[in-house]
């Protein structure tokens, strides 16, 4: 039985064909007549009235002309209206045929082609199922959504083709095929940071959504969709639920964006920038939104389901808007640390030292809300940020660091901004308060030993108070126990402020090594800058090194103080103590640079070049705080201690050498001393030094143009310059009888100070002699090891000899800042002072604070 359905012929809405030829306005039906019309046959394609075929239809045809030849063909594809099921034939194999109305010969839609086939991309844009989820008890929305996704979109079409002969006569009975095109709709998924596993997406007032999608072609392959659109509508939130999701998104009349091509050059096909959103106000009725996006494929099928929870199909976001979201700007300065800014963050205020290099680096991230960072700008001390000309570098996509700046005073402000692709700006401001070493007060005592027992704490505090009182009686100086003692534990375990530290001439810092860092490590750190892990790492700046460089006098004492300045390790017994600080790295391998860590480190400036190279004994009762093991210190005489040689100026083509005895410098005779020079050209000269001048040498002063008396047949004079060349005079030099000397390399390529004679040892015992590199004397190099050495006494029970310090080790390091410095200005003590006898503690403090640091005396010689 033949169906009698007649269809209106509607304009074609989608057609993509591989065609050639021209239209028929020159090949029309008005050409040569009379003439027999040609005959057209559709030879291949879907059977007529096929119910379900692919939206890509390949059709083939042929034609014949009884009184001529076929010149070309005309075709029309008619997309029928989506009018329900009245046009469908439910059995694709049934012989029934859909009745259609053949286009008139003069219909302007006829399109000419010389080809015998075409691939038709037809529409399949009608879904014959309601995608709105049901409301019922027991209904599972996820199952409904999956069912809808598996339903094909469809649309009926009729393809007409006619032959045209060489005289312009057309086939008045074109052949045609009607078929129902079908396809599955494309899927669309919002990209991170929208996460289907997170119930709510927190966004700033301007937010960027990005998405991706796939369209199943029907042959097992997938292609990108052809277009997309999006919508964002306000909604409400009740407790933790968005009650209008998802039904509100299925309502007609939503303010959808225009369809944008998926491959649009401005990325509008795969991205939406939504502006002017309102933040939440706590009411649940403002600041909440539903965002949704749909994809369209080349057949016109549109994503039918709105889903916020299914991975790779989540085309909806439940949005909560807050002002706490925006580009995250991370600013790093190697010594100051890392700081994060979002939106209009408050300025960060930091204390820095005069002369401290400042070099900021930064990065920004907008991925938390789907944005992209597009530019940065920065500048110093900007008065009017809205004025682009005041910025050192205005908006720039690649500028992510600033040149090194050094300031010597004042307050300096660094400004930095970043901008995302939604024009959201995060502003960062860092205020640097530059501190100078002013040294206005005399003595600061820092109590950084916060892990004492209560009894030890009281003993330590009481001892230092008594010692300072005794020193003030010997030489008056200003000291206020309230103002001039800084208790770390009483200040939230924070280090003393930089301006406080810099305002003192002398600092005594008592510290204990613990499992957590002490306050000392906030102001000074010891690190190897050439180790890969440290090259770009943020480390603390060595503010105490700046303090020492500017004349500050620093005495570090306590339990394992160098381990506070440097984290030595990977755990006992593998921790790599720096046997030779100036040529050492923490992987104990040959170093690419001749100086690993020593020169810029505080340990070097305090005089430490070897740390914990030997203990002198580890068995009890060495560490027991019994007074008999803390009886005092003695001086020893290392290599080169007896005398120092000085060369004169050249006069009459010769010079002389004068040797000055250390014994005379240590104990200057009342009447002074006269030295005879070496003999040259048959004569010598005399040099007379008064008692006052010998005392000057003991302090480290330089005596210039000392005159050698006239002598010989030709009267003439030489002059000589005298100064402590090796730092021996006036210093208590350390040399254990069992310990050989360690020669410092006298090679500028290895030692920048050209054979620096100051080789000071911390925690040094007889064990040093057997270490590698060999620590043996070198007559070519003057070496002095400055430290008090405790005399050894026998344990009354075992008879074993121990150095009489609580730790069984050397106690103190002193050095001059240079060979011409007027007095010694560095000290380090490797044990806790209260473990000494009070008399020994006082003697040590007297030597360091009064004699070496000249506490209470004006600066200078």
């Amino acid at each position: 039985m033949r169906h009698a359905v007649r269809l209106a012929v509607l304009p074609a809405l989608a057609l993509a064909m591989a065609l050639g030829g021209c239209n028929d306005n020159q090949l029309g039906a008005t050409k040569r007549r009379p003439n027999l019309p040609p005959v057209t046959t559709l030879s291949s394609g879907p059977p007529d009235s096929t119910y379900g075929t692919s939206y890509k239809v390949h059709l083939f045809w042929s034609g014949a002309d009884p009184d001529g030849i076929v010149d070309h063909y005309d075709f029309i594809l008619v997309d029928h209206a989506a009018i329900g099921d009245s046009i469908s034939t439910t059995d694709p194999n049934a012989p029934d045929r859909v009745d259609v109305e053949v286009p008139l010969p003069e219909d302007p839609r006829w399109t000419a082609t010389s080809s015998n086939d075409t691939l038709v991309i037809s529409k399949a844009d009608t879904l014959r199922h309601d995608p709105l989820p049901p409301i019922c008890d027991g209904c599972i929305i996820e199952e409904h959504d999956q069912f809808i996704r598996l339903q094909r979109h469809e649309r009926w079409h009729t393809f007409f083709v006619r032959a045209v002969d060489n005289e312009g006569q057309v086939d008045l009975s074109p052949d045609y095929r009607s078929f129902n095109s079908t396809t599955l709709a494309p899927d669309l998924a919002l990209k991170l940071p929208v996460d289907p596993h997170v119930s709510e997406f927190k966004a700033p007032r301007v937010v960027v959504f990005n998405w991706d999608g796939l369209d199943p072609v029907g042959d097992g392959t997938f292609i990108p969709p052809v277009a997309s659109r999006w919508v964002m509508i306000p909604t409400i939130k009740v407790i933790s639920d968005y009650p209008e999701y998802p039904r509100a998104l299925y309502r007609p009349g939503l303010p959808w964006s225009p369809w944008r091509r998926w491959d649009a050059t401005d990325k509008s096909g795969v991205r939406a920038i939504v502006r002017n959103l309102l933040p939440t106000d706590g009411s649940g009725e403002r600041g909440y939104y539903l965002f949704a996006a749909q994809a369209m494929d080349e057949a016109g099928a549109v994503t039918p389901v709105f889903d916020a929870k299914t991975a790779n199909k989540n085309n909806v976001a439940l949005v909560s808007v807050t002002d706490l979201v925006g580009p995250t700007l991370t600013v790093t300065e190697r010594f100051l640390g890392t700081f994060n800014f979002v939106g209009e963050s408050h300025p960060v205020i930091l204390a820095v030292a005069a002369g401290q290099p400042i070099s900021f680096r930064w990065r920004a991230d907008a991925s938390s809300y789907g944005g992209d960072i597009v530019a940065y700008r920065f500048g110093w001390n900007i008065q009017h940020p809205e004025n682009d000309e005041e910025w050192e570098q205005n908006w720039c996509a690649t500028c992510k660091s600033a040149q090194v700046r050094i300031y010597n005073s004042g307050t300096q402000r660094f400004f930095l901004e970043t901008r995302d692709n939604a024009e959201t700006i995060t502003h960062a401001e860092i205020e640097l308060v530059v501190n100078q070493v002013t040294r206005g007060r005399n003595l600061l005592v820092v109590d950084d030993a916060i892990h004492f027992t209560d009894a030890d704490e009281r003993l330590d505090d009481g001892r230092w108070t008594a010692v300072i009182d005794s020193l003030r009686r010997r030489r008056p100086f200003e000291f206020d126990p309230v103002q001039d003692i800084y208790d770390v534990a009483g200040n939230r375990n924070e280090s003393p402020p930089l301006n406080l530290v810099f305002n003192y001439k002398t600092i005594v810092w008592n510290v204990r090594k613990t499992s957590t860092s002490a306050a000392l490590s906030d102001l000074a750190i010891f690190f190897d800058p050439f180790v890969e892990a440290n090259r770009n790492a943020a480390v603390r700046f060595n503010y105490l090194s700046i303090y020492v460089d500017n004349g500050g006098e620093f005495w570090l004492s306590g339990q394992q103080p160098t381990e506070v300045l440097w984290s030595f390790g990977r755990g006992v017994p593998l921790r790599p103590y720096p046997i030779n600080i100036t040529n050492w790295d923490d992987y104990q391998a040959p170093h690419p640079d001749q100086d690993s860590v020593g020169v810029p480190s505080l340990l070097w400036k305090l005089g430490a070049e070897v740390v914990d190279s030997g203990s002198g004994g580890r068995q009890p009762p060495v560490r027991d705080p019994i007074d008999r093991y803390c009886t005092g210190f003695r001086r020893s005489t290392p290599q080169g201690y007896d005398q120092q040689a000085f060369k004169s100026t050249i006069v009459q083509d010769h010079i002389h050498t004068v040797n000055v005895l250390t014994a005379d410098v240590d104990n200057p005779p009342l009447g002074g001393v006269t030295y005879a020079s070496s003999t040259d050209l048959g004569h010598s000269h005399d040099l007379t030094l008064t008692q006052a001048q010998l005392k000057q040498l003991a302090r480290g002063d330089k005596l210039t143009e000392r005159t050698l008396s006239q002598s010989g047949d030709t009267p003439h004079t030489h002059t000589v310059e005298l100064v402590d060349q090796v730092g021996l005079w006036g210093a208590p030099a350390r040399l254990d009888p069992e310990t050989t000397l360690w020669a410092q390399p006298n090679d500028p390529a290895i030692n920048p100070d050209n054979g620096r004679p100051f080789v000071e040892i911390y925690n040094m015992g007889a064990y040093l002699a057997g270490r590698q590199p060999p620590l043996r004397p070198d007559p070519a190099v003057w070496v002095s090891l400055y430290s008090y050495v405790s005399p050894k006494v026998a344990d009354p029970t075992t008879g074993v000899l121990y150095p009489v310090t609580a730790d069984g080790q050397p106690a103190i390091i002193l050095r001059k800042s240079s060979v011409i410095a007027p007095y010694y200005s560095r000290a380090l003590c490797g044990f806790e002072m209260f473990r000494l006898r009070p008399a020994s503690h006082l003697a040590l403090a007297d030597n360091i604070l009064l004699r070496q640091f000249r506490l209470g005396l004006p600066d200078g010689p």
Side-chain angles (χ1 to χ4, degrees):
M1 178 177 176
R2 184 182 180 91
H3 286 282
V5 178
R6 298 183 62 81
L7 301 175
V9 179
L10 300 177
L13 298 179
L15 182 63
M17 307 181 65
L19 300 177
C22 58
N23 61 34
D24 67 351
N25 52 6
Q26 293 183 356
L27 303 174
T30 60
K31 299 292 181 179
R32 302 170 55 193
R33 298 181 185 277
N35 181 30
L36 295 177
V39 177
T40 313
T41 303
L42 270 167
S43 58
S44 180
D48 186 57
S49 301
T50 298
Y51 176 69
T53 188
S54 170
Y55 70 95
K56 292 184 176 181
V57 180
H58 202 172
L59 298 122
F60 296 83
W61 57 82
S62 62
D65 183 22
D67 59 353
I69 60 173
V70 173
D71 181 76
H72 65 279
Y73 299 93
D74 294 336
F75 67 86
I76 293 177
L77 178 68
V78 175
D79 298 332
H80 300 302
I83 57 175
D85 292 334
S86 60
I87 195 172
S88 66
T89 56
T90 58
D91 184 358
N93 297 315
D96 301 327
R97 185 169 185 177
V98 176
D99 278 344
V100 296
E101 183 175 334
V102 177
L104 296 175
E106 296 81 8
D107 194 309
R109 292 174 296 159
W110 287 107
T111 301
T113 178
S114 60
S115 178
N116 289 85
D117 74 297
T118 186
L119 179 65
V120 176
I121 307 297
S122 60
K123 278 191 173 296
D125 55 3
T126 302
L127 180 65
R128 303 192 186 278
H129 298 271
D130 188 357
L132 183 66
I135 301 178
C136 64
D137 293 335
C139 293
I140 301 176
I141 294 179
E142 290 77 10
E143 292 182 357
H144 169 81
D145 288 349
Q146 182 61 14
F147 170 79
I148 293 297
R149 289 190 182 98
L150 296 176
Q151 303 311 303
R152 290 183 171 272
H153 289 59
E154 58 186 67
R155 178 72 79 93
W156 279 91
H157 310 274
T158 301
F159 180 84
F160 298 90
V161 64
R162 70 184 183 185
V164 182
D165 68 13
N166 57 312
E167 296 186 24
Q169 179 67 279
V170 300
D171 183 355
L172 298 177
S173 300
D175 204 357
Y176 63 91
R177 298 284 175 89
S178 295
F179 50 88
N180 188 32
S181 298
T182 64
T183 189
L184 291 175
D187 290 323
L188 182 146
L190 297 177
K191 290 183 177 182
L192 291 175
V194 177
D195 188 343
H197 302 100
V198 178
S199 60
E200 185 177 66
F201 174 57
K202 295 187 180 299
R205 295 191 185 211
V206 178
V207 62
V208 181
F209 293 98
N210 295 273
W211 55 79
D212 202 352
L214 290 174
D215 175 37
V217 176
D219 58 1
T221 62
F222 296 84
I223 61 175
V226 298
S228 69
R229 66 176 183 175
W230 58 269
V231 69
M232 194 160 189
I233 59 175
T235 187
I236 61 174
K237 183 179 179 181
V238 179
I239 307 178
S240 61
D241 185 37
Y242 284 68
E244 295 184 328
Y245 163 78
R247 300 185 68 84
L249 295 169
Y250 292 93
R251 295 170 186 161
L254 295 182
W256 287 97
S257 70
W259 288 103
R260 304 291 187 187
R261 289 187 56 84
W262 193 267
D263 58 358
T265 57
D266 62 357
K267 296 185 177 181
S268 60
V270 291
R271 182 176 66 187
I273 301 176
V274 188
R275 294 180 170 84
N276 302 318
L277 300 177
L278 297 175
T280 57
D281 60 0
S283 67
E285 297 182 356
R286 195 186 87 168
Y288 300 99
Y289 297 85
L290 299 177
F291 176 87
Q294 291 179 310
M296 177 192 292
D297 67 12
E298 58 185 351
V302 175
T303 308
V305 171
F306 295 105
D307 184 347
K309 300 178 181 180
T310 303
N312 301 318
K313 301 179 187 299
N314 56 307
N315 63 332
V316 176
L318 313 180
V319 182
S320 170
V321 178
T322 172
D323 284 331
L324 300 178
V325 178
T328 299
L329 181 57
T330 301
V331 184
T332 300
E333 207 287 327
R334 186 175 194 189
F335 298 111
L336 298 178
T338 299
F339 311 93
N340 292 313
F341 301 85
V342 177
E344 290 291 334
S345 301
H346 294 294
V348 172
I349 302 176
L350 303 171
V352 299
Q356 176 178 345
I358 306 296
S359 178
F360 288 114
R361 295 178 291 115
W362 53 84
R363 65 183 186 277
D365 182 24
S367 62
S368 65
Y369 56 92
D372 295 322
I373 299 300
V374 297
Y376 305 89
R377 65 177 179 174
F378 67 92
W380 285 91
N381 299 318
I382 296 174
Q383 299 297 316
H384 305 94
E386 67 279 2
N387 182 2
D388 292 346
E389 295 183 359
E390 290 193 37
W391 294 83
E392 180 177 329
Q393 174 65 62
N394 206 19
W395 295 114
C396 165
T398 59
C399 47
K400 297 183 180 180
S401 64
Q403 292 183 340
V404 176
R405 291 292 187 98
I406 295 177
Y407 294 102
N408 293 314
S409 62
T411 297
Q412 314 296 332
R413 293 178 176 85
F414 179 73
F415 292 79
L416 174 66
E417 289 184 344
T418 185
R419 188 181 76 224
D420 67 11
N421 57 331
E423 301 298 320
T424 302
I425 292 176
T426 288
H427 176 86
E429 185 175 339
I430 299 177
E431 182 176 302
L432 304 179
V433 180
V434 182
N435 292 270
Q436 296 176 314
V437 179
T438 54
R439 302 179 71 235
R441 295 185 65 82
N442 282 294
L443 175 64
L444 174 67
V445 176
V446 179
D447 182 359
D448 197 8
I450 62 174
H451 294 282
F452 275 137
T453 64
D454 290 342
D456 287 348
E457 179 73 21
R458 288 192 297 270
L459 182 59
D460 190 61
D461 293 346
R463 175 70 68 77
W464 275 105
T465 300
V467 165
I468 292 174
D469 287 344
S470 295
L471 295 180
R472 294 179 67 198
R473 287 193 292 270
R474 299 183 182 189
R475 182 188 296 163
F477 59 86
E478 183 181 5
F479 183 82
D480 182 344
V482 175
Q483 183 176 355
D484 299 326
I485 294 179
Y486 184 91
D487 183 16
V488 171
N491 285 276
R492 302 181 301 279
N493 295 337
E494 295 178 357
S495 60
L498 199 56
N499 61 346
L500 180 70
V501 171
F502 282 5
N503 193 37
Y504 282 87
K505 296 179 180 179
T506 300
I507 296 174
V508 174
W509 197 302
N510 305 308
V511 69
R512 283 192 111 220
K513 172 67 172 67
T514 66
S515 59
T516 57
S517 62
L520 175 65
S521 61
D522 290 335
L523 296 182
I525 201 67
F526 181 68
F527 74 99
D528 185 343
F530 303 107
V531 171
E532 185 65 31
N534 291 338
R535 289 184 179 178
N536 294 312
V539 296
R540 294 186 180 94
F541 188 72
N542 197 329
Y543 292 103
L544 293 183
S545 183
I546 292 284
Y547 171 76
V548 168
D549 287 343
N550 285 273
E553 300 149 349
F554 190 78
W555 180 5
L556 175 62
S557 70
Q559 179 199 54
Q560 297 176 282
T562 51
E563 289 205 34
V564 178
L565 294 174
W566 178 282
S567 178
F568 286 108
R570 299 167 177 83
V572 176
L574 300 178
R575 54 187 181 182
Y577 284 103
I579 302 305
N580 180 351
I581 289 174
T582 58
N583 296 279
W584 177 85
D585 69 77
D586 66 358
Y587 290 97
Q588 297 180 327
H591 206 282
D593 196 278
Q594 73 273 12
D595 177 23
S596 172
V597 293
V599 169
S601 75
L602 179 64
L603 286 182
W604 171 278
K605 293 174 181 178
L606 292 180
E609 293 186 8
V610 172
V611 175
D612 208 16
S613 186
S615 66
R618 290 284 185 179
Q619 301 299 319
V622 176
R623 294 180 179 275
D624 193 289
I626 301 175
D627 275 349
R628 69 171 179 269
Y629 300 119
C630 306
T631 58
F633 303 96
R634 66 173 172 80
R635 298 180 63 189
S636 57
T637 55
Q639 170 189 347
Y641 181 80
D642 293 339
Q643 63 184 12
Q644 295 187 44
F646 302 91
K647 293 181 178 181
S648 71
T649 54
I650 300 174
V651 177
Q652 297 181 1
D653 297 326
H654 70 280
I655 63 172
H656 296 274
T657 300
V658 178
N659 294 322
V660 179
L661 301 180
T662 297
D664 296 335
V665 175
D666 285 343
N667 298 290
L670 181 62
V673 179
T674 298
Y675 299 100
S677 73
S678 62
T679 299
D680 198 341
L681 298 181
H683 70 277
S684 65
H685 297 258
D686 293 332
L687 172 66
T688 299
L689 296 177
T690 66
Q691 183 186 51
Q693 290 170 336
L694 290 169
K695 289 183 177 180
Q696 284 183 271
L697 291 177
R699 292 198 302 267
D701 294 351
K702 180 186 291 187
L703 302 179
T704 59
E705 297 185 354
R706 297 299 95 191
T707 301
L708 298 181
S709 61
Q710 295 182 0
S711 178
D713 297 334
T714 305
H716 63 282
T717 60
H718 297 261
T719 60
V720 67
E721 183 176 272
L722 306 177
V723 69
D724 182 358
Q725 300 174 93
V726 293
L728 290 171
W729 292 339
R734 177 205 187 277
L735 179 62
D736 222 5
E738 296 87 0
T739 305
T740 56
L741 295 178
W742 181 32
Q744 178 76 0
N746 190 17
D747 182 351
I750 299 175
N751 185 346
D753 288 341
N754 192 23
R756 177 177 183 266
F758 307 115
V759 182
E760 297 83 6
I761 310 297
Y762 167 70
N763 254 9
M764 186 66 193
Y767 179 66
L768 180 62
R771 297 298 292 174
Q772 293 294 328
L775 307 180
R776 57 178 180 268
D778 183 351
V781 182
W782 286 106
V783 177
S784 61
L785 311 180
Y786 314 151
S787 181
Y788 285 101
V789 177
S790 172
K792 294 185 176 182
V793 298
D795 180 89
T797 303
T798 65
V800 176
L801 291 174
Y802 292 110
V804 287
T805 66
D807 210 16
Q809 302 173 40
I812 185 68
I813 299 167
L814 295 172
R815 64 165 282 243
K816 295 181 178 183
S817 57
S818 71
V819 295
I820 60 173
Y823 53 88
Y824 295 86
S825 60
R826 312 292 181 266
L828 185 148
C829 180
F831 61 92
E832 293 153 351
M833 289 291 101
F834 75 90
R835 298 186 184 276
L836 287 177
R837 284 179 178 272
S840 296
H841 186 176
L842 178 59
L844 192 59
D846 179 88
N847 191 284
I848 295 173
L849 297 178
L850 297 188
R851 178 180 176 222
Q852 307 297 345
F853 288 175
R854 298 169 56 87
L855 188 61
L857 294 179
D859 290 342

